[in-house]
Amino acid sequence: MHKEIPHVERLAIHLKGMQRIVYESEASTEGVTQTTENYKSKLMAYFEYYDENPDAPSYTCQEFSQHMVWKADKSRWEVRKQQFAIARMYFVSPSAGELFYLRLLLNVVAGARSFEHLRTVNGVLHPTYKKACIELGLLESDAEFVNCLKEASTVQVGSQVRNLFKIILSDGNPAEPELLWREFKMHICDDLHHVIKRKCGIPEPTDEQIEDYGLDLIDKLLREGGKDMTSFCSIPKSEIDWDNLYGNCYIREHMQMMTEIDKDQLKQNIAKLNEEQLATFKAVTDSVEQKDGSKFFLNGSAGTRKTFVYNAIAESCRLKGDIVLTVASSGIASLLLEGGRTAHSTFRIPIDITSTDVCSIAKQKEEDEFIKQATLIIWDEVSMQHRHCIEAVNRLLHDIHENKKDDFGGVTVVMGGDFKQTFPVIPNGGREEIVGACIRRSYLWDNIKVLTLTKNMRLDMQEPENRAYADFLLEVGSEPVDKVDLPSAVNVCKTRRELITKIYPCLTKTQIWREDEACYEQVSEEELTNRMILTARNDDVNEINVEALNFLDGDTHTYLAADRLTPEESGRIQPISNEFLQNLNPPGMPLFKLQLKVGCPIILMRNIAPSEGLCNGTRLLVTHCGKYLIQAKILTGKKSKIGEKVMLLGYHSSPIFQS
């Protein structure tokens, strides 16, 4: 069909004993064991070649395929006699832990004979690949993290410092996290003495028990983002099984939600349902009660109160003792659901999904037990999700429930969204590719019952102009035309300054910080949460941000990024000036020079801690700007989290917010 010149040799990276084995599902245990024992990956064969030929010319793993050729039938490398090849070593994110440092070493160490040989520097065998990288000078110091934790420890309690430490581990990629833990563990755990006494019934917990419980809590925080403490080999691990003291943490959290349900409020919410919403409510709750495993899609435009129906259904089922998983395709949508999380974090859906990928939840884990006990799954904004994600969750539930006959393992599933809004994003995709990625093109769609909400409850009490504008938006979405005439109610601003002052009139007022009430006297948080300026170009966003920031009183705090090439790239390409790197403005990343003022609103650009209300799209108000630390108050999301103060890293290692 085609021919590549030069040949591209793909090199998979894996830790020792973690190579991927392919075997027939009908094979016997002995056959699988024999396949495993005889299998050699390209990386293992690379080590074997230099172990058998210590005097051969030394090449790094990346250079090796230029001089050697892979013989798949023999599972070995042989000397290349003609032509040449280019090696493509698969990318590994720094958040992958030891696997990232293994890849770093493979690009530097030539002629490695084993995994252990890679970790040996100057005759010393180091316990981790990360330690070996540090000894070779491939990693930077953690001075910024130390200063950040010092600054946080002086003003915050243990729970907030603990969340900050989790952010540093998951997003900051520190070189020596064990030293950070050793220095700040007392600050990280300073609130746990009382917690252990109250939750675990231990009258006088020892320092060792407090530290162990702190490690266990950090592990749980990391697991929210798909990681755990095993990714940081140098940090001590929790030795006490705290979950046995008060059960599975996921189920325990769900039980806590059950006890917090207000029965009277739930009755009032059910009474507020209109005819269409009530029909949806009864159809879903009857399916859960009868355990018939029905599948629903709730189709409704913005304002039809789909989220209100989801929460009413979830609370009603939880009140009867059922476990309900509430997930959404985006972080900000998940915050509106009671107990909501993103679908990717709940089901461990791969980011680069294909039609055959599976979710990475292992059996016998807490997540597996929790999902297995769920009788209802509510998935919001599924219309913007690639159909391969829904199909991967379907395969996961088949495996967990050991039921391949029924879709989603026989669990009742409610999906919802609006196909007039955002479709799955396909880079450079045309109409056919985008429509083909939609759930309506999935083999699961034929067994899904569509429920529709048509009445816009949000506009019932609104002014006629707002209702007319909503009708205009529906018309644009259902009857697209080349030229759209804007309604007369839409105002047109002549200058950028006029636009800012009309959208945010509070910014033009004098703002006075009142220490006794810890708030701004003139700032209207409602304006900051219910209004936003949208623009199609990043350059326009930056110019609007700068001009809006000038309206605010107070000093401007500047946070600079540290642009640098990765070690494996810097030695192979021409040097690039700092000026060039500083002018780059890739989508989804903040600027090289980020300027903030106390009192300005910011928006998170990454899911940091969904359970704490910190998701992509969460709006916050900056209350303190330190040298290494930014303190902000949550303005949107979960009601229980609105008004809480959180800490964020204020420097290049964690590009997680923009103004």
Side-chain angles (χ1 to χ4, degrees):
M1 297 294 293
H2 74 281
K3 187 174 182 180
E4 289 180 347
I5 297 177
H7 171 67
V8 178
E9 191 71 61
R10 292 171 175 82
L11 302 176
I13 307 300
H14 62 83
L15 297 172
K16 186 175 183 179
M18 299 296 290
Q19 63 271 22
R20 178 169 293 183
I21 308 293
V22 179
Y23 61 91
E24 297 291 337
S25 57
E26 296 82 8
S28 63
T29 304
E30 293 78 9
V32 174
T33 304
Q34 186 176 2
T35 300
T36 304
E37 291 175 349
N38 296 335
Y39 176 80
K40 282 187 290 188
S41 66
K42 294 179 182 178
L43 180 59
M44 296 165 66
Y46 166 74
F47 291 146
E48 184 181 66
Y49 176 83
Y50 278 112
D51 188 52
E52 295 176 352
N53 304 277
D55 298 328
S58 296
Y59 302 110
T60 64
C61 193
Q62 190 90 336
E63 302 166 340
F64 194 64
S65 61
Q66 298 178 18
H67 308 276
M68 309 293 289
V69 62
W70 173 251
K71 299 293 184 180
D73 55 340
K74 302 177 183 178
S75 295
R76 60 179 297 172
W77 293 95
E78 294 183 359
V79 177
R80 182 177 293 276
K81 297 179 180 178
Q82 58 182 358
Q83 298 182 348
F84 70 100
I86 297 174
R88 178 195 167 199
M89 189 177 290
Y90 287 117
F91 171 77
V92 178
S93 169
S95 61
E98 283 292 276
L99 191 62
F100 170 77
Y101 303 111
L102 170 65
R103 186 183 187 277
L104 203 57
L105 290 170
L106 287 171
N107 281 282
V108 175
V109 179
R113 299 189 294 274
S114 65
F115 289 99
E116 290 75 17
H117 184 239
L118 277 175
R119 301 202 310 267
T120 304
V121 180
N122 298 326
V124 178
L125 176 61
H126 294 279
T128 64
Y129 300 105
K130 191 172 190 177
K131 282 287 186 183
C133 290
I134 293 172
E135 289 299 317
L136 287 172
L138 300 178
L139 300 178
E140 297 179 340
S141 68
D142 295 335
E144 289 176 330
F145 299 116
V146 172
N147 293 328
C148 181
L149 287 169
K150 282 182 180 178
E151 189 174 333
S153 300
T154 59
V155 296
Q156 298 298 338
V157 296
S159 59
Q160 293 176 312
V161 180
R162 195 158 50 246
N163 286 324
L164 180 63
F165 185 67
K166 174 262 177 185
I167 295 174
I168 290 174
L169 290 180
S170 59
D171 299 313
N173 190 32
E176 297 181 287
E178 71 281 3
L179 299 183
L180 296 177
W181 166 255
R182 197 179 306 158
E183 183 174 352
F184 295 99
K185 61 184 177 182
M186 295 310 298
H187 298 286
I188 294 171
C189 303
D190 69 356
D191 63 327
L192 297 183
H193 185 277
H194 174 70
V195 174
I196 294 176
K197 289 175 65 176
R198 179 169 52 87
K199 280 191 174 181
C200 306
I202 300 176
E204 288 299 329
T206 63
D207 291 344
E208 290 76 14
Q209 289 174 320
I210 293 174
E211 292 175 15
D212 193 273
Y213 187 52
L215 290 168
D216 184 71
L217 292 179
I218 293 170
D219 183 51
K220 288 179 172 59
L221 290 172
L222 288 168
R223 276 190 255 172
E224 283 188 4
K227 301 179 184 178
D228 53 39
M229 291 294 281
T230 58
S231 303
F232 307 94
C233 304
S234 56
I235 297 183
K237 307 299 181 293
S238 176
E239 298 179 357
I240 301 174
D241 190 358
W242 294 95
D243 286 334
N244 281 338
L245 297 178
Y246 46 94
N248 184 311
C249 65
Y250 297 100
I251 297 177
R252 184 182 71 253
E253 181 182 349
H254 197 276
M255 295 299 180
Q256 180 66 27
M257 286 170 34
M258 292 179 180
T259 61
E260 295 174 354
I261 295 175
D262 188 332
K263 296 181 181 179
D264 294 334
Q265 184 63 47
L266 176 59
K267 289 180 181 179
Q268 294 177 19
N269 291 342
I270 295 175
K272 293 178 182 178
L273 298 175
N274 62 32
E275 186 176 344
E276 293 174 335
Q277 295 168 344
L278 188 59
T280 299
F281 177 86
K282 289 182 177 180
V284 176
T285 52
D286 288 347
S287 174
V288 174
E289 188 173 345
Q290 297 169 11
K291 295 182 169 56
D292 60 10
S294 298
K295 312 297 178 289
F296 303 94
F297 181 86
L298 186 57
N299 184 32
S301 303
T304 54
R305 301 180 77 180
K306 296 189 296 295
T307 303
F308 184 79
V309 177
Y310 296 145
N311 286 329
I313 293 171
E315 288 188 351
S316 179
C317 293
R318 286 166 179 161
L319 201 58
K320 299 175 184 177
D322 293 307
I323 289 181
V324 181
L325 293 183
T326 49
V327 301
S329 298
S330 65
I332 198 64
S334 70
L335 294 178
L336 303 178
L337 299 171
E338 293 297 332
R341 293 179 60 189
T342 60
H344 278 76
S345 64
T346 299
F347 300 115
R348 303 287 188 264
I349 303 173
I351 300 300
D352 297 322
I353 191 78
T354 66
S355 60
T356 58
D357 280 342
V358 295
C359 302
S360 56
I361 292 182
K363 285 195 172 184
Q364 314 304 326
K365 295 290 186 180
E366 288 183 327
E367 297 99 319
D368 171 77
E369 181 186 357
F370 178 53
I371 295 175
K372 189 172 185 178
Q373 293 190 28
T375 56
L376 172 64
I377 296 174
I378 297 175
W379 192 338
D380 192 18
E381 301 292 358
V382 79
S383 55
M384 63 182 289
Q385 196 72 270
H386 199 294
R387 65 181 178 86
H388 291 163
C389 296
I390 296 100
E391 292 166 2
V393 174
N394 178 51
R395 290 190 289 271
L396 170 70
L397 294 173
H398 281 170
D399 184 43
I400 288 178
H401 291 276
E402 298 179 355
N403 176 5
K404 295 186 178 181
K405 180 181 177 182
D406 302 315
D407 291 344
F408 296 99
V411 180
T412 300
V413 178
V414 179
M415 294 175 280
D418 181 10
F419 290 110
K420 291 192 291 293
Q421 295 184 19
T422 306
F423 264 54
V425 177
I426 308 298
N428 302 318
R431 180 185 178 90
E432 294 79 8
E433 290 86 357
I434 295 173
V435 173
C438 180
I439 184 178
R440 297 193 63 170
R441 291 296 183 266
S442 172
Y443 59 84
L444 299 168
W445 185 255
D446 293 338
N447 298 325
I448 294 177
K449 180 180 180 181
V450 178
L451 306 172
T452 304
L453 302 179
T454 57
K455 187 175 182 181
N456 195 319
M457 305 297 292
R458 187 181 298 167
L459 295 175
D460 270 0
M461 305 301 293
Q462 295 291 332
E463 299 175 356
E465 286 185 350
N466 287 336
R467 290 198 295 270
Y469 184 66
D471 294 337
F472 161 73
L473 291 179
L474 288 175
E475 183 180 344
V476 171
S478 55
E479 300 177 8
V481 293
D482 293 335
K483 184 178 180 180
V484 177
D485 295 323
L486 295 177
S488 59
V490 176
N491 296 319
V492 178
C493 298
K494 296 181 179 180
T495 64
R496 187 183 296 121
R497 183 181 182 85
E498 181 184 355
L499 173 66
I500 296 171
T501 54
K502 284 195 173 183
I503 299 297
Y504 297 111
C506 69
L507 295 182
T508 62
K509 300 175 183 177
T510 303
Q511 301 181 38
I512 303 172
W513 176 254
R514 299 186 60 179
E515 294 289 350
D516 55 338
E517 297 183 10
C519 67
Y520 279 92
E521 194 171 319
Q522 299 295 336
V523 166
S524 171
E525 293 181 1
E526 185 178 355
E527 281 188 16
L528 299 179
T529 55
N530 295 336
R531 304 181 184 195
M532 180 180 285
I533 298 175
L534 300 178
T535 180
R537 291 174 51 83
N538 288 343
D539 292 340
D540 294 331
V541 172
N542 301 329
E543 292 174 3
I544 292 172
N545 283 341
V546 171
E547 191 157 345
L549 202 65
N550 292 332
F551 283 110
L552 295 172
D553 292 336
D555 298 330
T556 300
H557 299 264
T558 302
Y559 299 93
L560 301 178
D563 296 315
R564 62 188 181 278
L565 299 175
T566 56
E568 63 266 30
E569 295 292 339
S570 58
R572 296 204 306 268
I573 62 178
Q574 294 296 323
I576 296 178
S577 66
N578 288 340
E579 293 80 7
F580 174 78
L581 294 174
Q582 292 167 9
N583 286 326
L584 296 179
N585 184 22
M589 296 284 285
L591 299 172
F592 164 76
K593 180 187 291 186
L594 183 64
Q595 294 182 321
L596 299 176
K597 285 184 179 181
V598 173
C600 76
I602 57 176
I603 301 176
L604 286 184
M605 301 172 64
R606 185 181 302 172
N607 293 333
I608 301 177
S611 64
E612 299 300 319
L614 299 178
C615 288
N616 178 17
T618 300
R619 302 193 197 185
L620 307 99
L621 182 70
V622 175
T623 59
H624 170 76
C625 291
K627 185 177 180 180
Y628 301 96
L629 185 71
I630 294 172
Q631 186 183 66
K633 182 168 67 172
I634 298 177
L635 299 179
T636 61
K638 292 183 179 179
K639 292 182 180 179
S640 59
K641 298 298 180 182
I642 292 177
E644 287 192 4
K645 291 183 180 180
V646 296
M647 293 184 297
L648 304 171
L649 305 182
Y651 48 90
H652 72 275
S653 299
S654 185
I656 55 179
F657 55 87
Q658 68 176 11
S659 55

